[in-house]
Amino acid sequence: MLQLDLRSPVPIYDQIKAGLRGLVARGILRPGDAAPSIRSLAAQLKVNPNTVARAFRELTLEGFLESRRGDGSLIAEGAARHAKDGLSEVRAGLKDALLRARRAGLAWGDVDSLVRESRKEEA
Amino acid sequence: MLQLDLRSPVPIYDQIKAGLRGLVARGILRPGDAAPSIRSLAAQLKVNPNTVARAFRELTLEGFLESRRGDGSLIAEGAARHAKDGLSEVRAGLKDALLRARRAGLAWGDVDSLVRESRKEEA
Amino acid sequence: MLQLDLRSPVPIYDQIKAGLRGLVARGILRPGDAAPSIRSLAAQLKVNPNTVARAFRELTLEGFLESRRGDGSLIAEGAARHAKDGLSEVRAGLKDALLRARRAGLAWGDVDSLVRESRKEEA
Amino acid sequence: MLQLDLRSPVPIYDQIKAGLRGLVARGILRPGDAAPSIRSLAAQLKVNPNTVARAFRELTLEGFLESRRGDGSLIAEGAARHAKDGLSEVRAGLKDALLRARRAGLAWGDVDSLVRESRKEEA
DNA sequence: GTGGTCTAGACCACC
DNA sequence: GTGGTCTAGACCACG
């Protein structure tokens, strides 16, 4: 349901944040649904609960989650929009990668073919 | 001539390395040309000279630069190939970013528009 | 009749307790009156009945409520005094909040305008 | 320079955040100044560095601090405005306290006299 | 059971 | 030296 790449330089808590937003963006979780509990998600991902807690805390501050004391968290009402036109961190990451690639001398043509290639592999 | 993103999680010295390789990949600097001096580059980028020095040191070890005792560095003969190798790393990084973005729920259409947007901003 | 702020760090059962005391302090409920039933209040506040039950339990222990086996609770005779005692607690809390706000750099003028603002919003 | 109340129900990291904003609001620290290092502040406050780090992290996300990798943090340019018209958390806390006080039955007149009283004591 | 805070200590990368 | 991430484990309050 949610996958991590522990080798990635991207912080685990960021991957968790992106993953949850992805579940909403793809319609697997919907506003009003209960989010998995911090502890259960931590166990499932084999990660320290604090790490998951940090992701949840930030998502709550951002208004993507609502935490109910002693009764778990749920996907906030605005989460769908948040996940959709938001995805801001992911977009920022991609844009950053694009920018660096350009600065490193990658031509736009190369970028285009790389995108096409990835698209093909996925299908 | 060379731009940094101080907020990026990518190390500054890595950005400098990639930037110099990019200048060669784009033909702005050529093998045999003088590289900017560490001090002047540091001043221009408003960065600690140590940071630039580290980038130069590593580029020299990699054979991309040649240092002339007391007389700065110059772009090595094999620099063009090095710049190309750098490009494959960059491609790999971009591809990875794309994968994560997709996992996070970003649609291909979003990717396309993001690319268009970056292209536009650059122009 | 009784309003909660689910986002507040203040426990819900405490808000309920304070709210009931407030209703008495303001003369809306009087000693001898029937208190709302736990279930109806829980439904109205969209809160777990356990939470309301806890508030009632504590209020009963404090002598603010009297429970009639199988017939709900009623406002105790001494409730008015209890409500007044509650007020001093509230005052202390407010004073503390003021102190912290001042330490944090809030000017007295800001405090004044904040009070005016709250007053306005309430009306 | 910065005082904590470990007995307060207000989280330490929140007190630290408020304290730093207060130092800027009062002009003791200015935009561009170096903020104390996480470790030194932790030592001075006799608190775990992680706790200070959390405060710093949030302040950075909010744009009040800028962190320079390996070179400490500094007060961001927008910090003064942030601290001044912001102070948002403190104001929110005060407003919350006011709201609860009102719901608990405290009259506006009581609020006013309480404010006057605090003001007098401080002077 | 839940989320939240805090401590302690390790490790990393950067300057 | 700096900030950042992660783990481990304790404790608290709430539902």
Side-chain angles (χ1 to χ4, degrees), chain C residues 89-103:
Chain C
E89 278 179 37
V90 169
R91 282 170 149 259
L94 233 190
K95 207 160 177 180
D96 213 61
L98 270 176
L99 179 62
R100 272 184 286 114
R102 284 292 297 164
R103 264 201 206 141

Side-chain angles (χ1 to χ4, degrees), chain C residues 50-69:
Chain C
N50 280 330
T51 308
V52 181
R54 173 168 179 180
F56 274 50
R57 190 189 333 135
E58 297 192 3
L59 285 173
T60 303
L61 283 176
E62 294 166 13
F64 178 88
L65 290 181
E66 282 177 23
S67 76
R68 303 255 203 174
R69 281 176 306 216

Side-chain angles (χ1 to χ4, degrees), chain A:
Chain A
M1 191 163 177
L2 210 161
Q3 285 188 330
L4 296 183
D5 178 2
L6 295 180
R7 298 168 142 208
S8 163
V10 178
I12 295 177
Y13 72 87
D14 260 338
Q15 295 187 44
I16 294 172
K17 290 176 67 178
L20 283 176
R21 278 197 285 246
L23 290 177
V24 172
R26 287 182 267 159
I28 299 174
L29 282 178
R30 302 180 176 221
D33 286 357
S37 84
I38 290 182
R39 285 163 167 89
S40 69
L41 190 53
Q44 176 194 330
L45 298 176
K46 291 178 184 169
V47 151
N48 189 295
N50 277 329
T51 306
V52 180
R54 175 168 178 184
F56 274 49
R57 189 194 319 141
E58 296 193 0
L59 286 173
T60 302
L61 284 176
E62 293 167 14
F64 178 88
L65 289 181
E66 280 178 25
S67 78
R68 305 237 190 174
R69 277 177 307 216
D71 192 32
S73 306
L74 44 83
I75 310 295
E77 279 314 311
R81 201 188 42 221
H82 209 286
K84 224 166 199 171
D85 69 30
L87 277 179
S88 38
E89 272 161 63
V90 177
R91 297 181 83 125
L94 233 191
K95 205 160 178 178
D96 203 58
L98 268 177
L99 189 61
R100 275 184 285 116
R102 283 294 296 165
R103 280 183 188 151
L106 202 70
W108 281 114
D110 289 337
V111 171
D112 288 340
S113 60
L114 199 149
V115 169
R116 270 197 300 273
E117 188 185 327
S118 295
R119 207 163 183 163
K120 212 167 167 182
E121 282 175 10
E122 190 181 310

